[in-house]
Amino acid sequence: MIDIPYKFVLPKQKLPIIIIGAGGIVKDAHLPAYKKANFEVYGIVNRTRAKAEQIAKDFDIPHVFDTLVEAVASAPENAVYDVTIMPDQFIDTLELLPDGAAVLIQKPMGDYFPQSKAILEVCQRKKLVAAINCQLRQAPFVNAARWLIDHGYIGELYDMEVRVTVQTPWELFPHVMVHPRLEILYHSVHYIDLIRSFLGNPVTVYGKTLKHPAKQLSSSRSTLLLDYGDVLHAVINTNHEFGAQEQESFIKWEGTKGAIKATMGLLMDYPRGLTDKFSYCIKNEEGESHWVEVPIEGSWFPDAFIGSMGSLMRYKLGEIDKLPAAVEDVIDTMAVVEAAYQSSAQGGFPINYLGIDSKG
């Protein structure tokens, strides 16, 4: 078994955090992650103060603010702003932050691509050190896969597949489940961003996102093929109406010397989740291979959120020279998302049927 270094490197100095928003993701992922990493959460602000006060009580946050203006005025030097509100509020919120501040912005980076570009413009004009919380990039099993690939263990990467067929309780996200761009924008965006982080930008995308016949959702299933030419293959298949018994939730990487598979247990029986599984196989000199399972500590929630916040702190402090999921990078993820919706709307290539009646 290969000894794989996959754990996060925490910042040498842990900067104080101001959380903007008090939704379920804050309670279920952000704050458990920050507690696990011993990050300092200085304060929280939310439009409904009672929600912020309850979360502050549950997680021992010392300050609750009535407005963002008040939070900014009271923030300690070098505070990091954790923006966890809906995308249509991002621009107004970013405008109120101090120029040059570090900010972690919840995904997606806007509802539509013009909004994504406007968010990028605000961040660049105000010289914000800004990243999008595309935290799947830094899940422990993804870190392990990236290390194996970067060190050549599976050879040249030529195939990535994400398959998610699970029962998703959309009702836990009332503001999201009514969105006209549900599945790709709020779920498959994670996988688009993940694939880009390994393979770079696709040339084109073929996509179809579909409704469920018995549910009032804008979409619940998607198939996306990211086009990298005639050799490199990258596909995403999601179905959020699948029963528990035969559910699947995995990422697979294939290379010329081997393969890696990570089972994302979080999405199965969400939000309780099942156990993750990480395995790899590497061909020997005779071309033989067998799968090896590696125990990986931590999971997507909450551990990947340590990575996204921790890397922002480290970049702000000058400990690393590249910011993972910087707005300048994730704008390309949003370009792929937009193209996927355009592909879905335009449909496939028309088929020239001969029109022969087979019943003759």
Side-chain angles (χ1 to χ4, degrees), residues 35-56:
K35 182 178 181 179
K36 188 172 184 177
N38 290 318
F39 291 160
E40 176 196 356
V41 180
Y42 180 83
I44 185 170
V45 58
N46 189 63
R47 288 187 298 182
T48 305
R49 183 183 173 95
K51 288 184 66 176
E53 287 178 337
Q54 184 59 55
I55 286 180

Side-chain angles (χ1 to χ4, degrees), residues 83-336:
V83 179
T84 68
I85 52 183
M86 294 296 286
D88 60 0
Q89 303 171 45
F90 285 170
I91 293 174
D92 290 344
T93 298
L94 294 170
E95 292 284 12
L96 294 175
L97 300 184
D99 289 358
V103 55
L104 184 63
I105 306 167
Q106 188 60 278
K107 65 84 191 166
M109 187 180 168
D111 288 324
Y112 299 90
F113 196 54
Q115 190 179 64
S116 303
K117 292 189 289 185
I119 291 166
L120 176 63
E121 187 279 326
V122 173
C123 291
Q124 292 184 326
R125 171 168 46 82
K126 291 176 64 65
K127 295 181 171 57
L128 299 175
V129 180
I132 303 299
N133 201 352
C134 295
Q135 72 289 136
L136 180 57
R137 291 185 183 212
Q138 301 197 61
F141 48 79
V142 171
N143 290 342
R146 199 181 303 278
W147 187 88
L148 286 171
I149 292 166
D150 288 348
H151 286 78
Y153 281 98
I154 69 167
E156 180 183 353
L157 185 61
Y158 66 84
D159 198 295
M160 274 192 73
E161 177 185 0
V162 179
R163 180 177 294 274
V164 175
T165 52
V166 299
Q167 183 72 39
T168 298
W170 292 112
E171 63 276 6
L172 296 179
F173 313 99
H175 297 296
V176 171
M177 70 178 294
V178 297
H179 200 281
R181 286 183 156 192
L182 178 58
E183 207 293 315
I184 298 175
L185 184 66
Y186 279 90
H187 188 82
S188 285
V189 63
H190 281 299
Y191 313 131
I192 293 171
D193 186 76
L194 178 72
I195 289 171
R196 282 193 56 254
S197 77
F198 280 91
L199 306 182
N201 286 342
V203 179
T204 63
V205 59
Y206 305 86
K208 189 67 178 179
T209 189
L210 304 110
K211 299 179 180 180
H212 189 280
K215 295 197 174 185
Q216 297 299 314
L217 301 172
S218 63
S219 53
S220 66
R221 295 161 293 150
S222 299
T223 294
L224 304 174
L225 177 64
L226 279 61
D227 176 14
Y228 289 92
D230 294 335
V231 175
L232 193 55
H233 174 256
V235 65
I236 300 165
N237 277 298
T238 60
N239 183 339
H240 295 270
E241 306 299 333
F242 214 75
Q245 185 174 348
E246 299 294 339
Q247 62 190 338
E248 295 178 283
S249 175
F250 67 80
I251 308 164
K252 179 171 60 66
W253 297 260
E254 290 187 26
T256 52
K257 295 180 181 178
I260 303 167
K261 185 176 181 180
T263 298
M264 301 179 286
L266 170 75
L267 300 180
M268 298 185 282
D269 194 26
Y270 186 89
R272 291 173 292 272
L274 302 181
T275 304
D276 292 338
K277 181 180 177 182
F278 183 88
S279 302
Y280 66 83
C281 70
I282 298 171
K283 295 179 182 178
N284 60 24
E285 293 181 357
E286 289 74 35
E288 301 169 337
S289 63
H290 66 278
W291 285 93
V292 177
E293 185 172 342
V294 180
I296 299 288
E297 293 181 17
S299 188
W300 183 351
F301 282 32
D303 300 86
F305 289 74
I306 299 174
S308 52
M309 176 57 79
S311 61
L312 176 60
M313 290 184 185
R314 295 187 70 209
Y315 183 80
K316 176 69 172 177
L317 293 165
E319 295 178 16
I320 54 175
D321 57 10
K322 184 177 181 180
L323 176 59
V327 289
E328 290 83 1
D329 179 47
V330 177
I331 190 68
D332 288 343
T333 294
M334 301 313 298
V336 178

